[in-house]
Amino acid sequence: MTTESPRRRLGFAVLPIVIFAGLALVFWKGLSGNPSTLPSALIGKPAPDFSLAALEGSNTPGLTSADLKTGGVSVVNIWASWCGPCRLEHPLLMELSKRTDIRLYGINNKDKAENARRFLGTLGQPFAAIGADTNGRTTIDWGSYGVPETFIVDGKGMIRFKWIGPLSAEIMNGVFTSEIEKAKQPLP
């Protein structure tokens, strides 16, 4: 009968711990970082074709891809009433809506109309138009990872910038404003 050495038994006991630690490190590295830096295949491409009905019970018109091709810069915000970070960024959208050099549009993602209306009634309604994406199909076509996400679209309907996650005052006053100005310039 052969017996394993204590050293060999210890090696077999430690092996699962080493494998677990290695996998944990791989997952940690893959999940850490800034989600707003995730690439978008749609940058520099036309916004997807879509036609969304107005938010039921609101006085705001619906949203179509044609609305993004009127010659001016558009900002499209994908949001939902059930989204906590959307609530945090909303005051910044209210401020952004005061700008006369852009049009701010909203895509309400997988939301109940009454909840979306209550959200806007409480926090303010900054959007020139709101498309109700009740099944989330249009949001997927935009390449959205989730809510909130905000896109800058030039006057020809080309997506020029994408911000994943909630906007902050720092982002709004820095990179976001800079990207709006860039979107006013024609693509090379």
Side-chain angles (χ1 to χ4, degrees):
M1 181 169 163
T2 61
T3 60
E4 293 182 36
S5 72
R7 196 176 190 118
R8 186 172 172 120
R9 280 193 303 241
L10 180 63
F12 283 126
V14 172
L15 184 62
I17 294 169
V18 171
I19 291 172
F20 175 77
L23 287 172
L25 180 64
V26 168
F27 286 126
W28 177 77
K29 289 292 275 177
L31 296 175
S32 64
N34 185 347
S36 65
T37 60
L38 291 171
S40 174
L42 297 180
I43 302 296
K45 295 193 168 113
D49 285 331
F50 68 96
S51 179
L52 293 172
L55 183 63
E56 184 182 317
S58 78
N59 295 328
T60 307
L63 183 63
T64 70
S65 50
D67 294 321
L68 307 177
K69 299 174 186 173
T70 58
V73 173
S74 301
V75 174
V76 179
N77 180 258
I78 300 176
W79 65 281
S81 66
W82 45 263
C83 163
C86 296
R87 186 172 291 275
L88 294 175
E89 80 172 358
H90 202 78
L92 295 168
L93 296 176
M94 292 298 294
E95 282 300 310
L96 186 64
S97 71
K98 296 175 183 174
R99 288 185 61 161
T100 58
D101 61 333
I102 63 159
R103 301 238 335 151
L104 178 60
Y105 297 112
I107 296 178
N108 182 239
N109 182 42
K110 294 184 182 177
D111 213 346
K112 292 183 178 178
E114 61 270 16
N115 293 342
R117 286 192 314 271
R118 188 177 315 113
F119 178 94
L120 295 172
T122 301
L123 300 176
Q125 204 299 74
F127 303 112
I130 302 170
D133 189 14
T134 55
N135 64 7
R137 182 71 236 169
T138 298
T139 302
I140 290 170
D141 290 345
W142 276 80
S144 177
Y145 294 100
V147 292
E149 286 190 19
T150 309
F151 296 81
I152 297 173
V153 182
D154 70 17
K156 293 182 180 180
M158 302 291 282
I159 296 174
R160 301 286 291 272
F161 182 76
K162 174 181 181 178
W163 183 262
I164 299 170
L167 294 167
S168 66
E170 179 184 350
I171 298 304
M172 188 69 77
N173 294 326
V175 67
F176 203 78
T177 298
S178 172
E179 292 295 333
I180 288 174
E181 294 307 314
K182 286 181 191 175
K184 293 177 182 178
Q185 306 304 316
L187 284 172

